[in-house]
Every structure is written in structure tokens, then in C-alpha cells.
Amino acid sequence: MTAQHSTVGGVMTRDVVTVRPDTPFKEITSVLSSHGISAVPVADEGGAPMGLVSEADLLRKQTEQPDAYGGQAAPPGWPRERAKARAENAAGLMTSPVATAHADWPVAQAAREMDRHHVKRLVVVDETDHIVGIVSRPDLLRVFLRPDEEIRQEIRDEVLTAILRLSGQEVNAQVHDGVVTLRGEVDKRSTAQIAEQLAKGVDGVVTVRPMIDYAIDDRAAEGRP
């Protein structure tokens, strides 16, 4: 039993600007500035991702530059960071391998992937490994902009009615600032717990406050918490 979720394809940026490995430093800076973006994927001749160049990668160049008052450059860091500071093109600047996602992933899966790789964005690829989009943290947070009434209707129609076959007289959902309160009474404890878990998975839900009574504790009979 599942509810529908927003996918990466629904929130990603599709018009993706890319650069080649031999794209010069200054041209990459120009690309970021002219398109108002903070990072750009590096693609090979076939359109597959090779890496990603971000503003942070470009700014490393400044760490090796003396300041206007004659101050010395910053102390050298790790070898890879020093190499980026001296790089002249995308091949030397990029972070590789790049973390990727697929357009059919739920946004929650993309969020977990960002957290796992400690990155701010994922390059979206198709089944042939070609770049089709890019998704960032702000893109994934859009689901929390959903109106409360829209969330309530989805919980009522998709979770309570379509999946659990419950009526509004049995369980009622109220939503305020993304916080869902479920009130009512059902036959079994397991049904109440399933309603809570499914409601948590609806896009835009911040948390669920379960206030559902039940007549039979079937989970206790099964020896489950």
C-alpha cells in the first residue's frame, strides 16, 4: 500500500547547461554568472556526466593568490584541493565522480542520496546515462510549499478512502502548517498505525499527530509493538 509522491522529474531543472572537460576556467565563470547558477555539470562527448564544477571549486583559485596588501596565500591543503586551486579547465576543477539521480525517483530518495554523499545537488540521468536535468536542495523543499488543504484532500482521498477504505466518519484529517492530526476510531490498531505511516509519506507533511482509537490491539496478539 503506497501513496503517490512527487518525483525528481517533477521538481528538477530540465534546461541544463553543461561544459566540456577542456572548457577554460574563465569560460566556466562566465557560464555560471550568465545563467545565474552555482554549479555546472561536466559532460563527455556523449552527454554523460563526468563531474561537477561549483563556485566553491572556482574560488579555490583565490586561496593561492596574495592579497592586495602583500599578504601570503593560504597554507596548502590536501593535494586534490591544491590541484583544483591551480587548475585551468573543467577537468582539473571538477569534483568526480558526480552523484546522480533518476527522474522517476521520489524526492525523498533524492534527499537521502544528497545526505549520503554530502552534496547540495544531484545530476539527473536517463537509462543511457545521459544528463536530463539537475536537482538541488531548494527543488526538493518545494513539496513543503503545498497548501494545507491540498495535503488534507490527498490524505482523505488517497490514503483514508482509496487505500484504507475508511470513511470521514471513521477517521478525519486536519492539517495546519503541514502538521497533520488524525482523529477517529477504527477496528484494529494496525489500521491506525498504517494510516499514520501513509500520512507521513504524503508530500508536504511535516509531521503526523495520531489520535486514532481502536477496538482491537491486533499487534499485541501478533507479539509486535
Side-chain angles (χ1 to χ4, degrees):
M1 295 182 294
T2 59
Q4 296 297 313
H5 302 288
S6 294
T7 63
V8 168
V11 299
M12 72 182 185
T13 298
R14 295 180 179 274
D15 186 16
V16 183
V17 181
T18 63
V19 296
R20 296 289 303 280
D22 58 354
T23 301
F25 181 102
K26 292 194 70 172
E27 185 176 336
I28 298 171
T29 304
S30 178
V31 167
L32 296 184
S33 177
S34 62
H35 289 86
I37 55 179
S38 59
V40 61
V42 183
D44 63 18
E45 293 181 358
M50 300 176 62
L52 191 79
V53 178
S54 69
E55 290 173 331
D57 295 321
L58 295 171
L59 283 172
R60 287 192 175 93
K61 180 69 67 178
Q62 297 293 79
T63 64
E64 293 219 341
Q65 304 298 324
D67 62 36
Y69 303 98
Q72 296 299 312
W78 296 100
R80 178 57 181 157
E81 305 310 308
R82 294 200 302 270
K84 285 188 177 186
R86 297 166 185 169
E88 299 179 1
N89 57 30
L93 290 161
M94 69 183 184
T95 298
S96 180
V98 63
T100 61
H102 291 280
D104 60 352
W105 281 11
V107 293
Q109 183 176 353
R112 288 192 293 269
E113 192 71 1
M114 283 187 191
D115 185 64
R116 186 169 74 88
H117 289 285
H118 305 290
V119 295
K120 298 179 180 180
R121 59 190 66 83
L122 301 171
V123 175
V124 185
V125 296
D126 62 16
E127 63 277 0
T128 62
D129 202 35
H130 289 175
I131 297 174
V132 295
I134 191 165
V135 64
S136 65
R137 287 175 177 174
D139 295 327
L140 300 184
L141 288 173
R142 285 183 202 165
V143 296
F144 293 105
L145 298 178
R146 294 185 75 191
D148 287 342
E149 179 58 21
E150 187 177 309
I151 295 171
R152 189 190 71 81
Q153 288 180 2
E154 181 174 340
I155 293 173
R156 181 195 64 193
D157 298 341
E158 303 299 329
V159 174
L160 300 178
T161 302
I163 297 177
L164 296 178
R165 307 296 183 185
L166 296 172
S167 68
Q169 286 71 36
E170 291 174 288
V171 178
N172 175 262
Q174 296 176 330
V175 185
H176 180 69
D177 289 339
V179 176
V180 178
T181 301
L182 297 176
R183 289 188 173 91
E185 183 174 352
V186 295
D187 291 337
K188 300 178 181 179
R189 180 187 179 192
S190 59
T191 302
Q193 291 180 325
I194 292 170
E196 177 187 354
Q197 291 303 314
L198 290 178
K200 285 180 179 178
V202 170
D203 291 331
V205 170
V206 176
T207 191
V208 176
R209 296 172 178 169
M211 301 178 69
I212 305 175
D213 295 325
Y214 49 85
I216 301 172
D217 189 349
D218 54 332
R219 290 298 175 96
E222 298 171 2
R224 300 171 65 178

